[in-house]
């Protein structure tokens, strides 16, 4: 296939591009800078210059493709107080991609999230498929982004082979600058590796290489309207994560009371308080997806997150 990928030079995209090319696909990546374009070219992909705001570029690239994988999100805007604006841009992009692919039977995949789908049990691919199930407790921006997943699934009714790949809060690996890197940074600054309460909150996790493989398998074979879980591990206790961080930084590990979490963990506090395990059993059976990379604790123990450059 000729596959148009937004976010192709990003954290997951940079693992997905070689995965797709290695499987015989041609990749056209959206590049918002010269550096991104150079990285994609080096990886063997073609490029088209633009951002999520360049609607004509997106429309033309999608129309010329055999399938689209949408990974880009304005994270820099979202995490500096503009989550609603970032979510609105994401929704606009998905709607435009849907218009470009309508009636074609071609695949459209987007990335979504696994946090907060259920309470007290591992979520499955059957959970969270309607807005009323999960969005009532969410603030505006996250609610809009969750709704974009439902918009994507509904595109199956317009003869688009749409799929939503739900990603864990930590898609880990060497070079990760996400939640794990932020948590390690807080431990460095505070001199303590903390967890909230008893630390039994669980996060699903997967290595970026395994996540990239799932996107490729979904592109090739997921039925229209599929919800897929990219959870290689159903739930890693956050106390176990803190213990590894404490050991590598040589700082104590301790509980942070819930009422002090916002001050200690800042923007991470709301996420760290969630117990959000997630099963991927149906995804594995559907697409024969078998994660092979190290788990989160093993990956942390390799030490690359703790190098002098902050990883």
């Amino acid at each position: 296939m000729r596959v148009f990928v937004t976010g192709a030079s990003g954290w997951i995209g940079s693992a997905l591009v070689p995965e797709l090319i290695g499987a015989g696909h041609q990749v056209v990546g959206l590049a918002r800078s010269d550096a991104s374009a150079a990285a994609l070219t080096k990886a063997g992909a073609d490029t088209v210059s633009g951002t999520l705001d360049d609607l004509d570029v997106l429309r033309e690239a999608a129309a010329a493709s055999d399938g689209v994988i949408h990974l880009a999100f304005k994270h820099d805007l979202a995490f500096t107080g503009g989550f609603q604006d970032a979510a609105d841009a994401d929704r606009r992009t998905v709607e435009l991609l849907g218009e470009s692919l309508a009636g074609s039977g071609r695949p459209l995949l987007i990335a979504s999230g696994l946090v907060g789908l259920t309470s007290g049990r591992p979520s499955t691919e059957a959970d969270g498929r309607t807005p009323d199930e999960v969005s009532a407790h969410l603030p505006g921006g996250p609610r809009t982004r969750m709704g974009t997943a439902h918009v994507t699934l509904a595109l199956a009714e317009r003869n688009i082979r749409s799929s939503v790949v739900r990603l864990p809060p930590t898609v880990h690996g060497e070079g990760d600058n996400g939640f794990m890197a932020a948590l390690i940074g807080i431990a460095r600054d505070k001199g303590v590796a903390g967890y909230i309460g008893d630390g039994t909150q669980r996060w699903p996790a997967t290595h970026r290489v395994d996540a990239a493989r799932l996107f490729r398998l979904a592109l090739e074979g997921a039925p229209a309207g599929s919800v897929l879980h990219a959870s290689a591990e159903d739930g890693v206790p956050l106390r176990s994560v803190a213990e590894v961080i404490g050991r590598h930084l040589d700082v104590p590990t301790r509980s942070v009371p819930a009422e002090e979490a916002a001050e200690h963990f800042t923007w991470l506090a709301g996420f760290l308080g969630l117990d959000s395990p997630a099963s991927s059993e149906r995804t594995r059976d559907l697409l024969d997806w078998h994660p092979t990379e190290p788990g989160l604790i093993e990956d942390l123990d390799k030490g690359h997150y703790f190098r002098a450059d902050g990883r």
Side-chain angles (χ1 to χ4, degrees):
M1 298 181 189
R2 176 182 171 90
V3 187
F4 176 48
V5 182
T6 73
S9 61
W11 175 235
I12 296 174
S14 58
L16 176 61
V17 168
E19 174 72 26
L20 291 172
I21 292 174
H25 301 294
Q26 177 189 2
V27 176
V28 179
L30 182 68
R32 64 175 181 171
S33 69
D34 291 343
S36 293
L40 289 170
T41 299
K42 183 178 180 179
D46 296 328
T47 65
V48 58
S49 297
T51 72
L52 295 185
D53 296 322
D54 295 314
L55 304 187
D56 287 342
V57 171
L58 298 175
R59 185 180 295 108
E60 292 174 10
S65 73
D66 299 313
V68 178
I69 300 177
H70 173 47
L71 299 178
F73 189 74
K74 295 184 177 184
H75 290 98
D76 50 348
L77 180 61
F79 294 137
T80 54
F83 204 115
Q84 183 64 61
D85 290 338
D88 288 342
D90 187 54
R91 173 70 63 85
R92 184 173 61 245
T93 299
V94 168
E95 290 175 342
L96 181 147
L97 294 173
E99 291 293 334
S100 298
L101 298 176
S104 69
R106 287 175 283 175
L108 170 63
L109 281 66
I110 75 159
S112 188
L114 275 173
V115 169
L117 291 170
T118 57
S119 178
R121 64 170 177 83
S123 63
T124 73
E125 294 86 342
D127 291 312
R129 294 186 66 104
T130 63
D132 292 343
E133 287 184 76
V134 294
S135 63
H137 66 286
L138 295 174
R143 183 166 62 248
T144 298
R145 194 175 192 200
M146 185 71 73
T148 298
H150 302 131
V151 168
T152 302
L153 295 176
L155 291 173
E157 300 173 4
R158 302 183 64 186
N159 192 22
I160 297 173
R161 188 158 58 83
S162 59
S163 297
V164 172
V165 180
R166 292 174 177 164
L167 295 167
T170 178
V171 178
H172 56 89
E174 188 162 2
D176 175 18
N177 285 312
F179 283 124
M180 286 300 108
L183 192 56
I184 290 165
I186 291 170
R188 277 197 176 99
D189 292 342
K190 301 287 187 179
V192 60
Y195 54 87
I196 298 176
D198 60 7
T200 57
Q201 302 92 337
R202 296 160 292 174
W203 276 8
T206 194
H207 194 281
R208 66 192 286 258
V209 171
D210 287 321
R213 186 178 305 114
L214 178 56
F215 273 101
R216 193 259 299 171
L217 292 171
L219 175 84
E220 295 172 345
S226 293
V227 172
L228 306 167
H229 278 195
S231 50
E233 296 178 279
D234 287 7
V236 181
L238 293 181
R239 179 170 181 169
S240 298
V241 172
E243 289 170 347
V244 176
I245 293 172
R247 184 168 67 251
H248 278 269
L249 295 182
D250 194 24
V251 298
T253 302
R254 70 170 176 84
S255 170
V256 175
E259 59 272 19
E260 299 175 12
E263 179 181 357
H264 186 94
F265 295 108
T266 64
W267 64 273
L268 261 177
F271 295 100
L272 292 171
L274 294 173
D275 181 40
S276 294
S279 167
S280 60
E281 182 176 352
R282 299 184 188 189
T283 297
R284 296 177 193 230
D285 290 345
L286 178 67
L287 296 177
D288 197 27
W289 179 59
H290 301 289
T292 58
E293 298 299 315
L296 176 58
I297 298 301
E298 181 183 353
D299 201 15
L300 286 169
D301 252 335
K302 287 185 173 185
H304 54 80
Y305 275 93
F306 305 95
R307 292 173 185 161
D309 60 4
R311 298 194 298 269

